[in-house]
Amino acid sequence: MTDKRILTIQDISCVGQCSLTVALPIISACGVEASVLPSAVLSTHTSGFTGYTFRDLTEDIPSIVSHWEKENIDFDAIYTGYLGSTKQIDYVIDVMNRVNKPTGLKIVDPAMADHGELYAGFDDTYVKAIMTLCSKADIIIPNITEACFMTGMDFKTEYDRAYIDELLSKLVAIGAGTVILTGVGYQPEKTGVIVVEDGKESYYEHKRFAEGCHGTGDVYASAFVGALMNGLSIYDAARIAADFTLASIEHTKKDADHWYGVKFEKMLPKLIDLLDEAQSSV
Ligand code: PXL
């Protein structure tokens, strides 16, 4: 098998265990080359820290991509996360058209919200722009909050299957090929992910911790991309990413003082084992 090279576009939060500081190690551990296009540089992420710095790198994008084109550099997939500005989203669509291989996947984590609220600095205009990006994607990975912002549905912490089905059909209508909705649980001690692929719905349910951690969405999406690029099915990649994220949360919860991110690092060998297991059973 030819080794895969992907491009991930998201911010560098220098401290905070999210976005690129999570995506790079996780995708690399999966044996996949990870190239980066940083959307912004922040001293920390924006959830819980105050007074962080923010340098928007939007205007660096066109010249970086032109250089790659001159060097004939292209990618097997482009995976986007937290983006720095609405204008940047137009550039990201252009990047996807210019340097993704014709067979290259477009994977969008609309990282903009959690727990019923948009992250600091995002507004309705950003939500609309992210929806345009999602409409062009092969795979989107929203959590329930992001799904609600994109579909106009009310955010709920307790819901039934009818609510989730309506959310899913509205997400599918946005236009991405496959939808992976994260953080869906119908019982207090359970959560899971729903994959909707070619109209077929599959649910992977697993244990839920009462309190989540910041940055789980980035850990999940990065592990999903790494697993998918190993040739696994979308469902198997979604399942492995869930098991890895769960193990990482469990490990993080042993350290009561660690509030700002997921301690995924010591769980990387488990991710590699999960990938090996899945590949040997194919
Ligand atoms: O984990 C998502 C994320 C990524 N990047 C930045 C963030 C957040 C969430 O708060 O603030 C800068």
Side-chain angles (χ1 to χ4, degrees), residues 8-12 19-20 36-42 54-61 81-85 88 92 126:
T8 182
I9 312 177
Q10 44 190 318
D11 72 283
I12 301 180
S19 37
L20 282 183
V36 302
L37 187 48
S39 59
V41 180
L42 295 87
F54 185 103
R55 182 176 297 273
D56 181 6
L57 297 179
T58 304
E59 293 313 328
D60 289 27
I61 293 179
Y82 182 106
L83 301 173
S85 67
Q88 196 170 81
V92 167
Y126 187 87

Side-chain angles (χ1 to χ4, degrees), residues 10-13 16-20 39-40 42 44-48 52 54 81-83 109 111-114 119-120 122 146 214-219:
Q10 44 190 318
D11 72 283
I12 301 180
S13 287
Q17 283 167 317
C18 68
S19 37
L20 282 183
S39 59
L42 295 87
T44 63
H45 64 63
T46 65
S47 296
Y52 43 82
F54 185 103
Y82 182 106
L83 301 173
D109 173 1
M112 62 179 172
D114 209 353
Y119 296 145
F122 290 145
E146 289 154 351
H214 179 269
T216 48
D218 299 351
V219 169

Side-chain angles (χ1 to χ4, degrees), residues 6-11 19-20 23-24 27 33-39 68 75 77-81 83 107 222 225:
I6 70 114
L7 172 66
T8 182
I9 312 177
Q10 44 190 318
D11 72 283
S19 37
L20 282 183
L24 280 175
I27 294 168
E33 180 183 342
S35 305
V36 302
L37 187 48
S39 59
W68 288 344
F75 302 98
I78 297 184
Y79 149 46
T80 70
L83 301 173
I107 303 168
S222 301
V225 169

Side-chain angles (χ1 to χ4, degrees), residues 151-164:
T151 59
M153 283 181 61
D154 287 340
F155 173 75
K156 293 185 183 171
T157 48
E158 278 174 37
Y159 41 75
D160 55 13
R161 283 184 166 72
Y163 171 82
I164 294 295

Side-chain angles (χ1 to χ4, degrees), residues 15-278:
V15 174
Q17 283 167 317
C18 68
S19 37
L20 282 183
T21 61
V22 161
L24 280 175
I26 292 178
I27 294 168
S28 300
C30 294
V32 174
E33 180 183 342
S35 305
V36 302
L37 187 48
S39 59
V41 180
L42 295 87
S43 49
T44 63
H45 64 63
T46 65
S47 296
F49 293 103
T50 52
Y52 43 82
T53 68
F54 185 103
R55 182 176 297 273
D56 181 6
L57 297 179
T58 304
E59 293 313 328
D60 289 27
I61 293 179
S63 49
I64 291 174
V65 176
S66 295
H67 179 222
W68 288 344
E69 276 186 323
K70 284 201 194 88
E71 297 288 343
N72 293 316
I73 291 168
D74 58 11
F75 302 98
D76 295 295
I78 297 184
Y79 149 46
T80 70
Y82 182 106
L83 301 173
S85 67
T86 300
K87 183 172 177 201
Q88 196 170 81
I89 294 176
D90 291 335
Y91 284 168
V92 167
I93 293 170
D94 185 52
V95 174
M96 287 176 160
N97 291 330
R98 285 166 64 187
V99 292
N100 217 4
K101 287 184 182 166
T103 52
L105 286 175
K106 299 173 197 152
I107 303 168
V108 174
D109 173 1
M112 62 179 172
D114 209 353
H115 307 298
E117 285 178 19
L118 287 172
Y119 296 145
F122 290 145
D123 57 15
D124 286 351
T125 313
Y126 187 87
V127 174
K128 290 217 169 61
I130 274 285
M131 285 172 70
T132 306
L133 182 61
C134 285
S135 74
K136 297 177 188 306
D138 296 298
I139 303 173
I140 59 171
I141 316 176
N143 60 33
I144 294 185
T145 302
E146 289 154 351
C148 286
F149 276 104
M150 291 200 287
T151 59
M153 283 181 61
D154 287 340
F155 173 75
K156 293 185 183 171
T157 48
E158 278 174 37
Y159 41 75
D160 55 13
R161 283 184 166 72
Y163 171 82
I164 294 295
D165 282 346
E166 189 181 347
L167 204 50
L168 286 170
S169 66
K170 289 188 169 155
L171 284 172
V172 168
I174 293 173
T178 295
V179 173
I180 302 177
L181 183 62
T182 62
V184 182
Y186 300 109
Q187 304 169 59
E189 273 108 54
K190 299 277 182 187
T191 186
V193 292
I194 300 189
V195 177
V196 186
E197 197 182 355
D198 300 326
K200 196 179 147 277
E201 210 178 294
S202 335
Y203 181 40
Y204 181 62
E205 188 183 56
H206 57 79
K207 182 172 154 188
R208 171 180 184 272
F209 288 93
E211 295 238 335
C213 306
H214 179 269
T216 48
D218 299 351
V219 169
Y220 181 82
S222 301
F224 169 78
V225 169
L228 190 70
M229 288 294 115
N230 274 271
L232 299 186
S233 69
I234 291 179
Y235 179 78
D236 280 343
R239 174 181 58 76
I240 285 175
D243 287 345
F244 170 63
T245 307
L246 181 68
S248 301
I249 297 171
E250 198 157 20
H251 179 65
T252 309
K253 291 293 163 199
K254 290 182 202 148
D255 178 354
D257 295 334
H258 197 86
W259 63 270
Y260 61 77
V262 188
K263 293 171 67 160
F264 65 92
E265 297 86 354
K266 289 204 165 68
M267 293 301 119
L268 288 171
K270 180 180 168 83
L271 175 60
I272 296 167
D273 286 348
L274 288 167
L275 283 179
D276 285 348
E277 240 172 67

